[in-house]
Amino acid sequence: MAKALEGIRVLDLTRMYGGPLGTMILAELGAEVIKVELPGGGDAIRTTAPLTEGQESYRFVALNRGKRGITLNFHTEEGRRICKELVKKSDVLVENFTPGVMERFGLGYRELEKHNPRLIYTSISGFGHTGPSRHRVAFDTIIQAMGGMISINGHPDSPPTKVGSAIADFLGGIFADLAILAALQYRSRTNEGQFIDMSMQDCVWYITAIQFLPYYLATGKEPPRIGNRQLEVTPFNIYKAKDGYIVIGVVTVAQWHRLLEVIGREDLKDIPEYYSQATRIEHTEEIDAIVEAWTKQRTVDEILKLLNDADLACSPVPTFGQVANDPQLASRDMQVEIEQSISGKLKMPGSVFKMSKTPSDATQQAPFLGQHNADVYSELLGYDQKTITQLQQEGVI
Ligand SMILES: CC(C)(COP(=O)(O)OP(=O)(O)OC[C@H]1O[C@@H](n2cnc3c(N)ncnc32)[C@H](O)[C@@H]1OP(=O)(O)O)[C@@H](O)C(=O)NCCC(=O)NCCS
């Protein structure tokens, strides 16, 4: 079946987590993604544990499926010249070097747009290409801290705590994809490429500020670390049950009333302070205590049955292994099997893009280092095998 991004070629200079996720999504959606790596070692994630029996990194494979892989050394003049030739044949370039690195190679946007004015050049960096922090290197936890995420995460008395998944890295890649799709749409109207300056700090701040900036501005106070509670709605928490924990979330008045009926506290319906969220939130602790007094007397299964029957939002707190075997996720192909040239069959996360006319494909293999050198350099630049071998011997590819 057709893919949404068929016909779009992406030159992928990204490494590590966020950039590679972004370009892998473009590949899942049908773009031809050519991952460019430094000969000799390539993306540092290639060597991170856990490794397959064939010594491939599971995580590298998880982040680079569906890409063609080539090597190219920008430290050589010939490597930089070849990069410009590849740029002429590409629609999109994505890189996540520290700002300034590509300019030092003579491969910054100002130079590359001369070779291809339709190029959509995407730079994902920790802090962006402008402002006082622009030259700083950055990893996920640094950006979670500098984007404000760590300031509001965790329990009031816990030390600073990051979100478990590398959310800052991944947000950078995902927001970059949104910008790339918008830029492709703009280019189809105007025939013009552009420069996308994606800052991971901007991304984390953006999703943190949407929820927490209103509180800060309205009260003039630091937003508290609230553990599993919500800042604006209650009851909404993880409560103790007899044999585990249960998540309950109540937002509307109707849900609040249904919860009171289920827990046998209809007497609370008419208490004015409890009626709306705006005033109920002032009484979070006493309301959480009322709900937990009820949940503590029952097992997780009993509570789930009662709350589901009343159409209330609730869930247990499964382990990672239980989620990995969740029948709902399985029914939506959220784990797929791929066939790697070196490692054979591997299980990988499936695709979130369920599209009726242009379904995505998360089952393609990730390249080993330089796997597609011969194909790409001959198809795109017309090099013969002798030239390719010579470039390899000279350390250019
Ligand atoms: C990820 C990061 C911390 C890595 O730091 P770093 O390894 O010092 O990388 P820099 O971007 O500063 O420089 C790139 C290096 O890769 C080398 N490199 C990578 N691919 C290359 C290629 N194809 N040819 C030549 N050199 C290459 C560069 O030469 C340079 O090394 P050098 O300084 O020894 O010459 C940094 O790139 C960064 O902050 N990126 C933006 C934020 C980000 O993406 N963070 C990770 C999120 S998962």
Side-chain angles (χ1 to χ4, degrees), residues 31 33 35 78 103 116 142 145 153 173 175 177 193 213 248 260 279 286-287 289 291 323 328 333 368 382:
V33 177
K35 183 173 174 99
E78 182 63 356
E103 285 75 8
N116 179 359
I142 288 151
N153 196 49
F175 274 119
D177 280 356
L213 186 60
I248 302 176
L260 292 178
T279 51
E286 63 205 53
I287 287 170
V291 174
V323 177
Q328 173 64 22
D333 294 329
F368 56 78

Side-chain angles (χ1 to χ4, degrees), residues 95 97-106 108 121 123 129 134-135:
E95 53 90 356
F97 294 116
T98 312
V101 169
M102 284 293 276
E103 285 75 8
R104 279 202 294 282
F105 285 133
Y121 182 120
S123 173
H129 279 243
R134 66 188 181 281
H135 292 305

Side-chain angles (χ1 to χ4, degrees), residues 15-18 37-38 72-75 96-98 101 105 124-126 137-139 169 200:
R15 308 140 302 136
M16 316 261 174
Y17 275 16
E37 293 173 271
L38 186 63
L72 187 59
N73 187 350
F74 305 142
H75 291 301
N96 68 328
F97 294 116
T98 312
V101 169
F105 285 133
I124 306 168
S125 60
V137 294
F139 289 112
D169 288 341
M200 289 156 55

Side-chain angles (χ1 to χ4, degrees), residues 86-97:
L86 291 171
V87 160
K88 286 182 194 162
K89 309 267 176 179
S90 301
D91 300 283
V92 177
L93 178 148
V94 191
E95 53 90 356
N96 68 328
F97 294 116

